[in-house]
Amino acid sequence: MAGSNPNAKPMNLTLKVWRQPNRQAQGQIVEYHVKDISPDMSFLEMLDVLNEDLLHAGQDPVAFDHDCREGICGSCDLFINGRSHGPEKGTTTCQLHMRKFSDGDTITIEPWRANAFPVNKDLSVDRSAFDRIIQAGGYVSVNTGGAPDGNEIPIPKEIADRAFEAATCIGCGACVAACKNASAMLFVSAKVSQLALLPQGNVERKTRVENMVAQMDKEGFGACTNIGSCAAECPVGISLENIAILNREFLAAKATSNNLA
Amino acid sequence: MLLDSKIPEGPLAEKWDKHKFNVKLVNPANKRKYDVIVVGTGLAGGAAAASLAELGYNVKAFTYHDSPRRAHSIAAQGGINAAKNYQNDGDSVFRLFYDTIKGGDYRAREANVYRLAQVSVNIIDQCVAQGVPFAREYGGLLANRSFGGAQVSRTFYARGQTGQQLLLGAYSALSRQIAYGKVKMYTRSEMLDVVIVDGQARGIVTRNLVNGEIETHAAHAVVLATGGYGNVFYLSTNAKYCNVTAAWRAHKKGAFFANPCFTQIHPTCIPVSGDYQSKLTLMSESLRNDGRVWVPKTVEMAERVRKGQIKPQDIAEDDRDYFLERKYPAFGNLVPRDVASRNAKMMCDENRGVGSTGLAVYLDFSDIIKRTGAEAVSQKYGNLFDMYAKITDENPYEMPMRIYPAVHYTMGGLWVDYNLQTTVPGLYATGECNFSDHGANRLGASALMQGLADGYFVIPYTIGDYLANTPPKPVDTNHPAFAESKAYVQARTEQLLGIKGNRTPDEFHKALGHIMWEYCGMARTAEGLKHAKAEIQRLRKEFWSDVKVVGTGEEMNQALEKAGRVADFLELGELMVDDAYNRNESCGGHFREEYQTPEGEALRDDENYAYVAAWEYQGDNQPEKLNKEELVFENVKLTQRSYK
Amino acid sequence: MSWITKTLTSSIGRKIIMAVTGLFLCTFLVVHLIGNLQLFKHDQGAAFNTYSHFMGTNPIIRTIEWGLVLGFGFHIFEALVLTRRNKTARGAQGYVSNHSEQNSEWTSRNMGILGSIILIFLLVHLYNFFWRARFAGDLPKMGGADPLTSDYDNLYMAVVSSFHIWWYVLLYVAAQISLGYHLWHGFRSGFQTLGLNHRKYTPLIKYVGYVFAVVVSAGFASMPLYFFLFTNAQGEMAANAPAILQTVASAF
């Protein structure tokens, strides 16, 4: 079957892939060659080809995280040619297509690098630090049942839209991976902003930002130095404005909350 | 075995309220003495785990993902239905119930569907309270859009990412309970068996996907929320990890599997582009609100399009066939999914399909772009258009999208009674994992509704009824049944690793998917199904002698994971074929070519097939036993569905 | 730890200290630059020396001076702490291939290097002028007829002679280029860290920052260049100086 671009020629590529058997082991870059890669393939489909080749050759396939392959679950997490999710802006690895590469290219593929994201195996990393940050306060404390009617509190469309834009974070970790400081501020700020903007989040506004920032620091992420790599590499376009909101929320909470600890 | 659906007595509208009053309660102080296992943390599982923990139960939640936020619920684009009637357009609980029953082609249980419609309104309130940023009107109130199979606007949405926002809502509720210590979360843990002690579900066996450790976990009840099995077709809109393993192992331990052949083929997916294709991407059904579906009127014109001699935007209005609008003037492009899919297939069968493969129809936005401007269209569908452009390298603002049906959802699943309990006491199934609410076809924006209804508002009540009858004694994994299950799982892992054959799990999976799509897909025939059954049996045999997995079980081994899942699909596939063969009628997503009206619509046989086919496992390589739950319709009249 | 120390030692707290001290130091740069413009006055340094005498003796200025010391001290200390922390956050194994130039500005990523160059300059600069004026006391006196100013340090001549040493001028200019780049990022970064981000004003802050960076660094760099290129050992403008400079100087 032909693809959407019948004139596209198949490509041969050299891959330099980080291989590491498990968390404790030393890793290294290993070179592989893949042939007849269609430009219409997604990047992960190209890796599928590599893995099928490896398996046929009796070698261990490359472990990598992926799931929905439509850019929303946030599972895929490859550092491709020195960039989070590769060269295309606003794109997850699974939505990156091989037409962005050329025949004969050498592609370096590494896992996210951060102390807080240890490598499980090869290209798969442990991002549970993100979950723990959310557990520290990234929610509205409402139990199931007893919620007032959804239309009880009108929310200006503009506010709802801004909250939505912050809420679209997929938790992939590209921001941490791209940041020189391995800072998780963009991730944290997206959740803090979303809930700070909405009236529902207002009740726990102060404790939320205090606890989430404390957890972020505890996990060992770096501090933001406003470089902007995170927002530039974010596949869903979370804006740096959120980090300013986080800073502001943090400062205001620390200055005015009753929390002496 | 007699299937007791435990539908409460009384008028439809009062059943759930009465039932909630009649179920036994667990005293608040006793709740902490009960442990509940929830497998899967998507909408249904995440919501259930959070809500049960809020009530005071000790919950252990499991997911094979690295985080509960990644479940495939996240990919649902269009929206969630609720009978709020905010639009003043005549919606009501009964209308949502009626639309769902009718949309499901009268193969769903009335009482369940009515309850679903009732609690739908609470779901929206709950999600808003959690901080889910639904779309709003300028006045600050919630916005709605319309969806297939309904003539009212009742779908709540968050741009094209409704599933994501709802899942993150459930995830946040779950995270809160994890922080409180009421939920113990096990990530990257795949359930590989249910443990039955004295006829009751008492735990599970899991494999830690990072270090390969086989673990046993005990509880007073087990809730499966492990999603659907659409990946049996290999290519589907499901995420790559979606699988039937948890449900299938439960099935082998005594849970009946209901209506496995009821698969939904979604009409608007991006067509297959090559053999390497690993999955299909859905374009939300909401696009059919504004997009118009068409193919060239003549085969000759279609031929020229396929060869690239003429661009679709250059085809004159008169030379286009807007076949859905033509055939179904009342619903037009918004006919239910099964109808839209089948018609697209018919067009392609008539050789009027487009794209280089001829397996696509157009979804055209030029009218709405002309009417409201590209900016307004981008506001509504921006992310979907971007996604389409990324995948196909074509700009949908300039030329129509090419779409084709793809496997999307499975209405079938573990049989459950009104309490969502399977045929194994103490074992529950929620969300897409069960069969209960969608009959033979699910309406758009109803999956999110059902998952959350089950998780937030049904299981917290119904599981209490079971637990109240279970002594609050601590449970542990010392019973020999746990060791037995663990040994079974270990042996199977060893077996897969020991074959050392020549074909990869993916190759088997693709082969199975091909059989399923050809013979048990959009159109089925008795002959084709017979052929498919033999093919699957042959393939399964080959699998167990020729599959190739390297490495060990004591490490992260994704090929091993895949092999285990494919092995289960190979068994499920045969059951689906059996079920499709057994059902000598067409209904919803199940279209048997032998049974159609003169106009080519699905022809039901209510006399003989108004039942749920619940299959009972009889042992390896034994034919499964069919049990029937008769469907009784007291509140709707069974008619030939008409969307004309 | 009390809530205050906890706040100030958190990642955001430390960044806020960076921002506050950084923006404070920006105000110092403005004052310093305006004062130093008196070097260009054609009066053998009379105005400049009077100004520096005032700055060195006025009690209010001397008090603010301590603020400046603390400002620099905290800015540098927090920079060191944060750099260490941020290096650790990446982990032992860095990237084999990292193309951050494709997603961010060089200056933003190299504030530490830029700051270090500025720090080296600052030490030399302080030793040369501040230390000698305040503590060593080995600067020549102004002399002259006016009894009020005759025993003021002739800092002007110290400046002129320093600015005739080629490597000194080079260090100065290099440091000012670093300062320019440091401010290019630092100015707007300070506002961002303090949470002062608004879609109306942030673009404005950004461009004000760019102008600020260029004006301040060019202003400071112009002094050594002027003396080195266009004046004699007494600081008098050479005859070969471009006409424009003559015009500007006479306007002072």
Side-chain angles (χ1 to χ4, degrees), chain B residues 174-207:
Chain B
L174 177 62
S175 295
R176 176 168 157 251
Q177 295 306 317
I178 296 171
Y180 288 167
K182 286 305 289 180
V183 174
K184 174 101 180 75
M185 186 70 227
Y186 295 83
T187 56
R188 292 196 195 261
S189 291
E190 180 167 32
M191 183 195 122
L192 294 176
D193 205 12
V194 182
V195 182
I196 314 279
V197 177
D198 303 329
Q200 303 194 320
R202 277 289 177 270
I204 59 171
V205 178
T206 60
R207 180 169 179 271

Side-chain angles (χ1 to χ4, degrees), chain B residues 505-629:
Chain B
D506 263 350
E507 285 168 342
F508 280 103
H509 197 175
K510 280 183 192 178
L512 173 66
H514 183 75
I515 299 170
M516 297 304 292
W517 179 247
E518 283 301 311
Y519 302 106
C520 198
M522 254 189 295
R524 301 150 177 188
T525 63
E527 199 184 337
L529 290 165
K530 260 192 345 224
H531 175 74
K533 187 176 166 80
E535 287 283 289
I536 295 169
Q537 285 175 339
R538 180 187 53 76
L539 191 66
R540 193 166 61 230
K541 228 167 143 187
E542 287 171 18
F543 176 89
W544 284 106
S545 62
D546 198 27
V547 74
K548 179 162 194 161
V549 182
V550 298
T552 70
E554 286 82 46
E555 58 176 340
M556 191 179 215
N557 190 337
Q558 292 176 331
L560 175 66
E561 292 165 26
K562 242 185 238 171
R565 293 167 193 166
V566 173
D568 291 330
F569 277 138
L570 281 163
E571 293 175 15
L572 165 80
E574 189 180 342
L575 183 64
M576 288 173 71
V577 166
D578 285 345
D579 187 45
Y581 184 77
N582 168 69
R583 195 168 277 278
N584 289 313
E585 64 163 351
S586 294
C587 58
H590 170 64
F591 192 77
R592 284 277 300 269
E593 286 183 2
E594 305 95 315
Y595 308 101
Q596 49 181 307
T597 66
E599 298 97 49
E601 303 294 339
L603 185 63
R604 287 199 321 271
D605 177 356
D606 295 329
E607 191 109 342
N608 296 306
Y609 290 95
Y611 66 76
V612 176
W615 298 88
E616 185 178 357
Y617 188 73
Q618 301 283 308
D620 285 344
N621 297 317
Q622 298 293 315
E624 299 221 2
K625 185 179 161 213
L626 173 65
N627 298 274
K628 297 177 185 175
E629 178 201 342

Side-chain angles (χ1 to χ4, degrees), chain A residues 18 29 79 81-83 110-111 113-115 162 176-177 179-182 213 216-217 220-227 229 232-233 240-241 243-244 247-248 250-251 254 260-261, chain C residues 2-3 6-7 10-13 15-16 82 85-86 88-100 102-105 108-109 185 188-190 192-197 199:
Chain A
W18 182 263
I29 291 280
F79 204 74
N81 279 348
R83 304 273 304 275
E110 298 173 77
R113 293 290 184 199
N115 229 5
R162 279 175 65 196
V176 173
C179 178
K180 182 180 181 240
N181 312 322
V213 169
M216 170 183 89
D217 288 354
F221 290 106
C224 173
T225 56
N226 305 324
I227 294 170
S229 305
E233 297 290 25
L240 279 185
E241 189 187 350
I243 294 185
N247 292 334
R248 184 156 88 214
F250 179 77
L251 202 54
K254 283 295 181 188
L260 293 176
Chain C
S2 79
W3 69 271
K6 261 194 189 160
T7 304
S10 70
S11 58
I12 299 183
K15 283 298 302 165
I16 286 170
L82 284 168
R85 176 198 189 114
N86 291 346
T88 321
R90 172 60 71 226
Q93 175 66 50
Y95 290 113
V96 174
S97 158
N98 188 357
H99 286 288
S100 45
Q102 294 171 13
N103 59 37
S104 56
E105 289 182 9
S108 305
R109 295 192 310 273
H185 170 84
R188 73 175 132 94
S189 177
Q192 166 81 1
T193 298
L194 294 175
L196 301 172
N197 182 313
R199 37 193 80 178

Side-chain angles (χ1 to χ4, degrees), chain A residues 4 45 52 56 66-70 73 90 99 121 131 143-145 149-151 155 168-169 171 194, chain B residues 51 54 65 67 69-70 86 125-126 131 140 142 164 171 176 240-241 278-279 390-392 504 507 556:
Chain A
S4 53
E45 283 166 348
E52 288 289 283
H56 274 298
H66 66 103
D67 193 27
C68 78
R69 297 206 177 188
E70 43 190 279
C73 74
R99 60 180 82 96
K121 180 180 177 179
D131 290 323
N143 282 356
T144 304
D149 187 87
N151 262 347
I155 301 173
T168 54
C169 168
Q194 177 206 340
Chain B
S51 302
E54 285 163 9
H65 286 110
S67 161
R69 66 180 298 150
R70 311 218 190 274
Y86 282 158
D125 300 340
Q126 184 63 32
L142 292 159
Q164 178 195 29
Y171 163 72
R176 176 168 157 251
K240 289 297 284 179
Y241 293 165
S278 61
K279 78 152 277 168
K390 236 169 235 172
I391 293 172
T392 61
T504 66
E507 285 168 342
M556 191 179 215

